[in-house]
Amino acid sequence: MDAFRRWAHIPEKMFDVDLHQDEQVEFEGVLSLIRNMRDQSSVNKALSHDELLVFNRFGEKKPIFWCFNNWAEPYLFAYQLDENQPLIAAQSPHGVEKSWVKKARYTEPLAKRYLESATQLFNRQDFIYCGNCQGAPVVESMCIQLSRQCGIFPQLITIDYIAKRRYQGPILMLFGSESPFNPFNYERDPLPYWKKRLKSFQWKHLHGPHGTYLKEPTIVLLKEIVSAHI
């Protein structure tokens, strides 16, 4: 199974951000689970806001919004940052919803929810948007929603994701050198796919297999890559 098939559950066309009543009830349960998991991992140095976790809220640098796959990851990344670098952490559907169909369906409403919460807290939307693995489609959706609603095209940085949603702003795709989600590890050339869909894209490789990028030593390089776009 190549990298494209691994992301087959994410359609190229975005879902409606609004849910039907029965879907909304289930989605509220997902949000509740995200908050509970967040609160179980929370410590005093971070601020809880809706489903988000915020580090260095009053830092002077442009905030980083990152959709992680669990609540341990933001603490690992925040440890690499100075006190002037705000970090807004969110949770992807990973570990929250088992159904791949529902994970895809919740992408847009989850992105909308996170965008509204972060905007309310910081009174701005021009963050650096990052997401690893299942968090990547969420921040991709956030950037597309911003571009459609406000004409804003923020920097998007994804890890082990092939960028399926035709975001027309700047995007940097990072792939693990040993990752099964790295399209360059298969025969199919991803460049024609991206050239037809994306306007401004770059890619880089990170050392190591999938799921290890927020651990040393790769996390140091990852922090430098993200910081270079602030």
Side-chain angles (χ1 to χ4, degrees):
M1 182 183 295
D2 66 18
F4 289 90
R5 291 183 180 180
R6 290 179 183 276
W7 288 107
H9 68 287
I10 299 292
E12 291 192 6
K13 183 178 179 181
M14 291 175 59
F15 287 104
D16 193 329
V17 296
D18 296 320
L19 297 166
H20 297 301
Q21 185 174 359
D22 57 337
E23 293 177 321
Q24 185 64 40
V25 172
E26 292 187 355
F27 181 63
E28 291 296 334
V30 168
L31 295 179
S32 179
L33 183 57
I34 288 175
R35 290 192 296 270
N36 290 339
M37 295 172 67
R38 187 265 323 267
D39 293 343
Q40 291 175 9
S41 67
S42 181
V43 295
N44 292 335
K45 66 177 295 185
L47 168 70
S48 297
H49 176 73
D50 292 337
E51 290 75 40
L52 305 178
L53 196 62
V54 182
F55 300 81
N56 306 326
R57 178 186 177 188
F58 299 106
E60 298 177 356
K61 297 180 181 178
K62 176 181 289 190
I64 300 168
F65 185 103
W66 195 310
C67 191
F68 295 94
N69 281 316
N70 60 61
W71 290 111
E73 292 178 340
Y75 287 96
L76 295 174
F77 191 72
Y79 183 76
Q80 302 292 323
L81 306 175
D82 63 63
E83 62 183 9
N84 282 321
Q85 178 59 69
L87 171 65
I88 311 164
Q91 165 78 49
S92 79
H94 176 72
V96 180
E97 174 57 60
K98 294 181 179 180
S99 168
W100 289 100
V101 173
K102 291 183 179 179
K103 285 181 180 183
R105 179 64 188 96
Y106 293 154
T107 298
E108 274 63 67
L110 195 59
K112 179 183 178 183
R113 170 73 174 183
Y114 288 160
L115 192 55
E116 290 174 346
S117 296
T119 302
Q120 180 185 52
L121 192 62
F122 281 85
N123 196 31
R124 61 188 295 182
Q125 298 173 316
D126 59 331
F127 310 129
I128 303 296
Y129 289 85
C130 306
N132 52 308
C133 195
Q134 293 183 39
V138 177
V139 289
E140 179 186 46
S141 179
M142 294 175 75
C143 289
I144 293 175
Q145 290 183 40
L146 273 176
S147 66
R148 291 177 176 177
Q149 297 168 9
C150 308
I152 298 174
F153 294 85
Q155 175 68 53
L156 173 61
I157 301 176
T158 64
I159 304 179
D160 278 355
Y161 177 62
I162 58 173
K164 297 186 66 175
R165 261 38 192 314
R166 299 176 182 265
Y167 176 53
Q168 298 303 292
I171 176 171
L172 170 62
M173 293 172 280
L174 305 175
F175 298 102
S177 58
E178 304 170 40
S179 172
F181 293 90
N182 185 343
F184 294 99
N185 289 341
Y186 301 92
E187 293 184 1
R188 178 179 178 180
D189 183 0
L191 294 184
Y193 178 87
W194 292 330
K195 287 179 180 179
K196 289 181 179 180
R197 292 162 172 79
L198 306 176
K199 185 176 181 180
S200 176
F201 69 93
Q202 296 177 304
W203 71 92
K204 291 183 179 180
H205 286 105
L206 299 172
H207 177 71
H210 182 73
T212 65
Y213 317 124
L214 288 160
K215 300 178 181 178
E216 292 187 353
T218 309
I219 191 173
V220 178
L221 173 61
L222 183 58
K223 181 260 182 182
E224 292 177 354
I225 291 174
V226 174
S227 296
H229 288 82
I230 296 174

